[in-house]
Amino acid sequence: MPSPFPGMDPFIESQMWEDFHTRFITILSESLVPQVRPQYAVNVERYVYVTRDEDVESIIAPDLAVTDTSIGWRESAASPTATLQPVKHQIVMPQLRQPYLVIRTRRGETVVAVIELLSPWNKKRDVGVAEYLAKRANVLKSSASLVELDLLRSGQRLPTSQPLQAGDYYAFITRPASRPQVDVYGWRLQDPLPTVPIPLAENDAEVCIDLQAAFTTTYDRAGYDYSLHYEDQLVPSLDEDAATWVASRLKSAGLPK
């Protein structure tokens, strides 16, 4: 069954975001490859955030933990009874491994574009935002274009010199030749996801990705029609008009509300 919504499904944000993030990035890669081959390669890459906030749900342990397995004992001077002493270990810090897309020249010498799908951690005030903006700054200082997709209603928005236009979701496109100018696409929950440009090298024509088509494919392949709990309360909450619209869409689709 297709999604009951014409665009982004708001229930994914609080219920299935980590799964959606990985699947959606992969679908975007599959849609880009036919458009840029053979001159460019599209790679799904990952970077690791060490998280410090127990409220972050998207936490996975690292693949390898290094510990000291020796046991230390010392006989107490005050008593012949042996006393167990602590052993120094390395704790496993919670990690968030987040995929993103990189478009490179075919031999891999030059990165021409980076495509980010923002996560709840990227938009978490203080440490999450700071870590993402530091990574973002490295891309903005390079010769690569940057495409940032914000399909989350919650969290802190990316900083711009002027207030963003009204919207629930955004796409930010920056090109090296026009920085610090950024093209911002904004749309509402009630709207289909747009088609956005993906800049390549300066002398090559830009390509486009249909975000709605990518979302529909992701939703269908993941089986979100039966795995999402549409009877649950939406997080974050909606204003009265939007909540009424969501309830109407669910009712029309024969889903619990």
Side-chain angles (χ1 to χ4, degrees):
M1 186 178 76
S3 170
F5 303 101
M8 186 64 191
D9 189 316
F11 287 85
I12 289 174
E13 181 167 341
S14 63
Q15 296 184 27
M16 290 285 185
W17 184 261
E18 185 176 353
D19 180 79
F20 173 80
H21 193 137
T22 300
R23 292 176 185 270
F24 191 71
I25 283 289
T26 302
I27 297 300
L28 291 182
S29 174
E30 292 175 1
S31 69
L32 280 169
V33 168
Q35 300 186 69
V36 302
R37 65 185 308 171
Q39 187 170 352
Y40 297 100
V42 183
N43 303 119
V44 179
E45 302 191 2
R46 294 177 184 271
Y47 54 86
V48 176
Y49 288 121
V50 176
T51 62
R52 302 174 181 84
D53 191 332
E54 63 184 7
D55 292 332
V56 177
E57 297 177 356
S58 302
I59 292 176
I60 61 174
D63 296 326
L64 179 65
V66 180
T67 60
D68 180 357
T69 58
S70 61
I71 299 177
W73 293 83
R74 186 185 69 186
E75 188 170 330
S76 171
S79 169
T81 305
T83 302
L84 181 65
Q85 297 298 308
V87 179
K88 300 296 184 183
H89 286 259
Q90 294 182 1
I91 64 171
V92 178
M93 294 296 292
Q95 295 184 352
L96 169 63
R97 302 189 181 200
Q98 184 167 310
Y100 64 104
L101 291 182
V102 176
I103 302 178
R104 288 186 171 88
T105 51
R106 186 167 58 88
R107 292 187 177 274
E109 308 98 337
T110 306
V111 174
V112 298
V114 174
I115 303 172
E116 293 273 7
L117 177 61
L118 299 185
S119 71
W121 176 251
N122 298 147
K123 301 181 68 179
K124 193 81 172 177
R125 291 188 181 277
D126 301 325
V127 65
V129 171
E131 287 189 2
Y132 177 73
L133 292 182
K135 177 181 185 292
R136 182 189 199 227
N138 291 331
V139 180
L140 294 177
K141 292 173 185 175
S142 74
S143 60
S145 295
L146 177 61
V147 177
E148 296 165 293
L149 306 175
D150 186 355
L151 302 185
L152 295 163
R153 293 186 299 116
S154 62
Q156 184 172 319
R157 299 293 184 188
L158 291 174
T160 53
S161 56
Q162 298 89 22
L164 293 171
Q165 64 267 42
D168 295 300
Y169 306 109
Y170 295 90
F172 301 79
I173 318 289
T174 65
R175 302 167 177 84
S178 58
R179 289 177 186 141
Q181 179 179 314
V182 55
D183 292 344
V184 182
Y185 299 79
W187 64 98
R188 304 178 307 153
L189 169 64
Q190 295 88 338
D191 301 326
L193 281 71
T195 296
V196 297
I198 305 297
L200 300 173
E202 187 175 0
N203 296 326
D204 289 335
E206 297 183 349
V207 297
C208 292
I209 49 174
D210 185 337
L211 297 180
Q212 183 58 53
F215 173 83
T216 299
T217 300
T218 304
Y219 186 97
D220 290 344
R221 290 185 183 179
Y224 290 145
D225 58 314
Y226 67 86
S227 60
L228 287 171
H229 300 288
Y230 286 109
E231 70 277 9
D232 288 358
Q233 185 175 357
L234 262 178
V235 180
S237 60
L238 297 165
D239 62 35
E240 185 176 352
D241 288 344
T244 300
W245 178 82
V246 166
S248 174
R249 297 294 304 191
L250 294 179
K251 182 178 180 180
S252 298
L255 294 168
K257 62 182 187 298

